[in-house]
Amino acid sequence: MRLRNIPGARETLAENDFVLQDPAQYKGSFHTLFGNSNPIHIEIGMGKGRFITELARLHPDINYLGMEKYSSVLIRALDKIKENPPSNLYFLRMDAEDIAEIFAPNEVDRIYLNFSDPWPKDRHAKRRLTSSQFLERYDKILTADGQVIFKTDNRPLFDFSLEEIEKSGWILDSKTYDLHHSEYMEGNVMTEYEEKFSAQGNPIHQMTAHRIK
Ligand code: SAH
């Protein structure tokens, strides 16, 4: 998601207490940032942040980190929390490619990927957030039973992701091609893209997977 460039977006983020300026300094000690030892769940490519903000409000006993590459998008997420910021939520403006430099082994309990960019050209496959290259990075930081939960309406990307999961030696815990009419719908929190695409009649696919350590 790329919005029109917002003048001053980067500067606004640099001054904001809810955006971690130098996240690598917390590597291995994110619990001190949150001031508790609750599990850490992250969303990569959170866009305007509705999903993670709502989860943070629903689950005060879980710590959330939302990661987004673009300042112009992240700034919309900040708007959602400025009135009443949850103490269990921070944002990071960074490319997920560097994720293993930010978190120590076993530091992350769950990774959410929602409506990730499809990168349809074969030569860009390794940029997809469910590629074997990214799964390898996630493997470095997830706890032993830590999960990746992925939602999309893009069937080719979903099929690719299922193949990568198998190829990379991960275990598929669940999958559905129509989340909104499935048993996994309970507790589902809709993302901005999910609302838009399901309103257009697109079924939403979801998979959950973990890596045997
Ligand atoms: N999760 C949101 C937005 C989906 S669009 C929703 O479901 O509504 C995908 C988002 O991922 C975009 O905002 C894009 O900027 C971000 N993104 C894509 N690649 C990324 C990467 N490598 N690191 C961090 N964010 C990324």
Side-chain angles (χ1 to χ4, degrees), residues 1-10 48 70-76:
M1 181 191 298
R2 208 150 184 189
L3 298 180
R4 198 161 35 86
N5 186 38
I6 299 175
R10 224 170 237 263
K48 298 181 193 170
Y70 294 111
S71 312
S72 54
V73 187
L74 202 161
I75 210 161
R76 305 299 172 109

Side-chain angles (χ1 to χ4, degrees), residues 13 16-20 46 48-57 64 66 74-92 192:
L13 297 185
N16 200 287
D17 290 346
F18 307 108
V19 182
L20 301 182
M46 65 167 179
K48 298 181 193 170
R50 181 203 292 172
F51 175 83
I52 196 151
T53 303
E54 209 170 313
L55 282 189
R57 296 198 196 285
Y64 291 94
L74 202 161
I75 210 161
R76 305 299 172 109
L78 282 174
D79 286 344
K80 295 197 171 69
I81 61 164
K82 67 182 178 206
E83 297 297 321
N84 180 20
S87 61
N88 57 337
L89 173 64
Y90 289 93
F91 298 134
L92 302 95
E192 278 94 348

Side-chain angles (χ1 to χ4, degrees), residues 1 43-47 67-70 73 94-97 114-117 129 134 191-194:
M1 181 191 298
E43 184 186 7
I44 303 177
M46 65 167 179
M67 192 177 286
E68 170 55 49
K69 195 151 89 170
Y70 294 111
V73 187
M94 58 172 278
D95 192 315
E97 234 178 71
N114 292 318
F115 299 82
S116 309
D117 297 341
L129 292 180
F134 270 98
T191 80
E192 278 94 348
Y193 273 42
E194 183 172 357

Side-chain angles (χ1 to χ4, degrees), residues 1 3-4 31-32 37 45 71 102 108 121-122 143 145 151-152 164 169 176 200 202 207:
M1 181 191 298
L3 298 180
R4 198 161 35 86
H31 288 114
T32 60
S37 55
S71 312
I102 302 298
V108 175
K121 294 192 176 121
D122 280 350
T143 54
D145 53 357
K151 288 197 270 199
T152 183
E164 295 291 285
T176 170
Q200 291 170 5
N202 298 3
M207 70 165 72

Side-chain angles (χ1 to χ4, degrees), residues 18-208:
F18 307 108
V19 182
L20 301 182
Q21 302 303 331
D22 174 20
Q25 69 175 296
Y26 300 106
K27 186 171 182 174
S29 62
F30 270 92
H31 288 114
T32 60
L33 169 73
F34 289 105
N36 60 50
S37 55
N38 294 339
I40 295 178
H41 293 186
I42 68 180
E43 184 186 7
I44 303 177
M46 65 167 179
K48 298 181 193 170
R50 181 203 292 172
F51 175 83
I52 196 151
T53 303
E54 209 170 313
L55 282 189
R57 296 198 196 285
L58 286 171
H59 306 288
D61 50 351
I62 292 172
N63 296 322
Y64 291 94
L65 293 167
M67 192 177 286
E68 170 55 49
K69 195 151 89 170
Y70 294 111
S71 312
S72 54
V73 187
L74 202 161
I75 210 161
R76 305 299 172 109
L78 282 174
D79 286 344
K80 295 197 171 69
I81 61 164
K82 67 182 178 206
E83 297 297 321
N84 180 20
S87 61
N88 57 337
L89 173 64
Y90 289 93
F91 298 134
L92 302 95
R93 194 199 61 75
M94 58 172 278
D95 192 315
E97 234 178 71
D98 302 322
I99 200 163
E101 280 143 53
I102 302 298
F103 298 103
N106 299 310
E107 195 160 25
V108 175
D109 294 87
R110 184 177 290 179
I111 297 176
Y112 290 105
L113 304 171
N114 292 318
F115 299 82
S116 309
D117 297 341
W119 293 106
K121 294 192 176 121
D122 280 350
R123 68 188 155 91
H124 290 148
K126 64 176 187 296
R127 298 189 192 172
R128 298 174 193 148
L129 292 180
T130 50
S131 65
S132 53
Q133 289 85 350
F134 270 98
L135 292 174
E136 207 176 308
R137 295 178 183 120
Y138 305 154
D139 189 26
K140 288 189 182 140
I141 63 169
L142 279 171
T143 54
D145 53 357
Q147 286 181 315
V148 169
I149 304 184
F150 172 50
K151 288 197 270 199
T152 183
D153 68 325
N154 186 306
R155 183 63 189 267
L157 179 64
F158 193 67
D159 289 343
F160 165 85
S161 306
L162 289 169
E163 282 167 23
E164 295 291 285
I165 288 287
E166 199 185 332
K167 195 173 103 184
S168 305
W170 286 54
I171 307 297
L172 190 65
D173 299 313
S174 73
K175 93 174 158 183
T176 170
Y177 292 96
D178 191 0
L179 172 65
H180 291 188
H181 301 101
S182 77
E183 61 190 294
Y184 306 110
M185 190 52 184
E186 201 188 320
N188 183 56
V189 170
M190 293 246 256
T191 80
E192 278 94 348
Y193 273 42
E194 183 172 357
E195 186 161 289
K196 184 171 148 198
F197 295 136
S198 58
Q200 291 170 5
N202 298 3
I204 306 302
H205 318 313
Q206 178 177 274
M207 70 165 72
T208 304

